[in-house]
Amino acid sequence: MGSCTVPKAPIRRKIHDLLLALLVGSLGVVAALVVPPSAHAAESTLGAAAKQSGRYFGTAIASGKLGDSAYTTIAGREFNMVTAENEMKIDATEPQRGQFNFSSADRVYNWAVQNGKQVRGHTLAWHSQQPGWMQNLSGSALRQAMTDHINGVMAHYKGKIVQWDVVNEAFADGSSGARRDSNLQRSGNDWIEVAFRAARAADPAAKLCYNDYNVENWTWAKTQAMYSMVRDFKQRGVPIDCVGFQAHFNSGSPYNSNFRTTLQNFAALGVDVAVTELDIQGASASTYANVTNDCLAVPRCLGITVWGVRDTDSWRSQDTPLLFNGDGSKKAAYTTVLAALNGGGSTTPPEGSGQIKGAGSGRCLDVPDSSTADGIQLQLWDCGNAANQQWALSGTGELKVYGNKCLDAAGTGNGTKVQIYSCWGGDNQKWRLNSDGSIVGVQSGLCLDAVGGSTTNGTLIQLYSCSGGSNQRWTRT
């Protein structure tokens, strides 16, 4: 910290400061690492934490479970966006042609609104869950039926639904990048465009989304095909506002760190993005945190919806993929998501320079031998006033030393070397400084860690899964 000359404090101020210091010491409170006066306080629920950054955290709700008090207690407390799991799909809302039935859909909608939540509409045009009468149509008759369905459903909810999944799952799996062979596709390749134009006319206020699965990995053909369609729509003025990534991650379709690249590239086309049906096989805490951080890193990411409340409510319950166990208890993944949302929602700390001291070791984050070379791994060392221990936090979350070198993660996995490197603006050089003393990599979601919990001079610094240990807690002085 810089110093300045100030008048000598009166004796009353000295006594006050002494008492304050004793109180802090007795409570074992580590000096706050982040949390400037303007920062948000950490929120205790997912929806409230997401709201800090202008996002939502939602869930899929089934009307048949609204009589389950344990289910509604969790859903009411934690989420601020609702998607009807099946109740707004085609077979539920138009079981007979021209005869609409919104009883189950309205039950979900009314519960959401009465509990202060917004609603996503899912879905208007889809090859699956079509009623028998629609399955038997083709060509122009099917096209007219699709348009009539869009008009009928959107008229019922006009001005009430914030986002609609207008078209769902229109691309084929695999490496072809082709459209899915469905009765809707066989009605003409322009059917998706027709659906979006009809939806815009039916409710101009709603955000209109295209929604699909296995499109999170940027390198996949299906992702590229969807990207080409959205780019074409934007170029030709087809009314598309957002793209939904279902994010059903499992061993056959695992999370890949390039998901953030996918979100960024779609957002660059001028559309919003959203994670719409998130569930993760085994509920990996680190993967849930990574997905959350990916959304937080993209300004046009509207929010995240998990596909169900508890594991027992999931369509793939055998995979235990959600944030709550069947008994309603919170999983480790819940904690990592909440921490990420709270970190992402806080205001960026102001610039300032000072040492970063390990809570367990009392030693400082140090560039060995005062080197300025790219790739030098950081260490713990006795604190001094030299420039190789002076870290300035930038307005974009970089920790800079020497003015032009950044705290840099050489990868995203456990054991990754933390080094200095010339600043270039990448997410591997951006950090969240949390009120619990942890320093978390924006790209990796992992914590700044003194290797092996060691406290000695020369202990190397790495990335590692956050555990709350004293070797992962730091103070800025």
Side-chain angles (χ1 to χ4, degrees), residues 20-335:
L20 181 60
L22 289 171
L23 175 62
V24 170
S26 67
L27 293 175
V29 176
V30 179
L33 188 65
V34 204
V35 202
S38 60
H40 295 287
E43 296 288 353
S44 60
T45 65
L46 300 170
K51 189 176 180 181
Q52 293 178 112
S53 64
R55 293 171 174 83
Y56 60 80
F57 203 96
T59 190
I61 290 292
S63 63
K65 294 181 180 177
L66 290 176
D68 180 340
S69 61
Y71 178 88
T72 54
T73 295
I74 297 170
R77 180 187 71 224
E78 294 290 342
F79 305 105
N80 59 350
M81 179 70 80
V82 161
T83 304
E85 188 166 357
N86 289 293
E87 291 79 357
M88 292 187 185
K89 292 174 180 173
I90 309 168
D91 57 351
T93 52
E94 196 179 0
Q96 302 297 324
R97 186 170 188 179
Q99 297 179 18
F100 291 90
N101 184 339
F102 297 105
S103 57
S104 294
D106 283 350
R107 189 177 184 207
V108 173
Y109 175 84
N110 291 334
W111 180 87
V113 172
Q114 289 162 9
N115 285 276
K117 307 175 193 314
Q118 293 184 305
V119 180
R120 295 190 76 252
H122 176 78
T123 177
L124 296 169
W126 189 25
H127 71 275
S128 186
Q129 290 186 236
Q130 294 179 3
W133 66 264
M134 182 175 278
Q135 295 175 33
N136 294 325
L137 296 179
S138 61
S140 60
L142 176 61
R143 180 68 62 87
Q144 186 62 53
M146 178 191 76
T147 303
D148 291 344
H149 179 79
I150 291 170
N151 288 333
V153 175
M154 294 190 78
H156 182 76
Y157 290 110
K158 186 173 183 178
K160 298 177 179 180
I161 301 287
V162 293
Q163 298 173 38
W164 271 108
D165 289 334
V166 177
V167 173
N168 197 46
E169 301 174 2
F171 286 91
D173 288 318
S175 59
S176 69
R179 294 277 187 90
R180 180 188 297 275
D181 180 24
S182 69
N183 60 347
L184 290 167
Q185 178 63 30
R186 290 190 294 272
S187 75
N189 199 55
D190 63 341
W191 74 274
I192 301 176
E193 176 177 345
V194 169
F196 274 90
R197 292 193 185 280
R200 173 67 86 229
D203 188 353
K207 284 185 181 290
L208 308 181
C209 305
Y210 176 81
N211 192 56
D212 217 325
Y213 68 96
N214 283 357
V215 287
E216 294 78 22
N217 188 318
W218 177 245
T219 67
W220 286 1
K222 189 174 181 182
T223 309
Q224 292 299 311
M226 184 173 77
Y227 179 84
S228 295
M229 180 192 74
V230 175
R231 180 177 57 193
D232 172 62
F233 280 9
K234 292 300 291 184
Q235 290 172 344
R236 294 192 295 110
V238 178
I240 184 170
D241 304 310
C242 46
V243 177
F245 298 82
Q246 293 182 18
H248 296 297
F249 293 119
N250 54 64
S251 57
S253 180
Y255 169 81
N256 187 291
S257 61
N258 70 24
F259 182 37
R260 185 175 305 185
T261 298
T262 303
L263 296 176
Q264 290 169 332
N265 287 343
F266 275 87
L269 293 176
V271 293
D272 294 325
V273 293
V275 180
T276 55
E277 303 181 21
L278 178 63
D279 49 31
I280 299 172
Q281 184 176 13
S284 162
S286 61
T287 304
Y288 260 109
N290 287 340
V291 173
T292 304
N293 285 320
D294 289 341
C295 178
L296 291 170
V298 179
R300 294 199 72 151
C301 185
L302 300 169
I304 297 170
T305 296
V306 288
W307 206 244
V309 178
R310 305 160 298 189
D311 282 340
T312 47
D313 307 313
S314 170
W315 69 302
R316 43 177 47 171
S317 58
Q318 71 279 4
D319 290 339
T320 60
L322 297 176
L323 298 175
F324 294 89
N325 292 303
D327 63 4
S329 59
K330 299 171 182 175
K331 297 185 181 181
Y334 173 95
T335 303

Side-chain angles (χ1 to χ4, degrees), residues 10-30:
I11 189 70
R12 184 187 305 168
R13 177 64 180 271
K14 289 183 177 179
I15 293 172
H16 175 272
D17 288 349
L18 177 60
L19 290 172
L20 181 60
L22 289 171
L23 175 62
V24 170
S26 67
L27 293 175
V29 176
V30 179

Side-chain angles (χ1 to χ4, degrees), residues 368-401:
D369 301 320
S370 296
S371 174
T372 60
D374 285 347
I376 296 295
Q377 187 168 8
L378 299 179
Q379 64 178 4
L380 291 179
W381 201 263
D382 292 332
C383 298
N385 292 315
N388 67 322
Q389 292 183 355
Q390 298 295 315
W391 299 91
L393 181 63
S394 78
T396 55
E398 297 160 320
L399 283 164
K400 295 184 177 182
V401 66

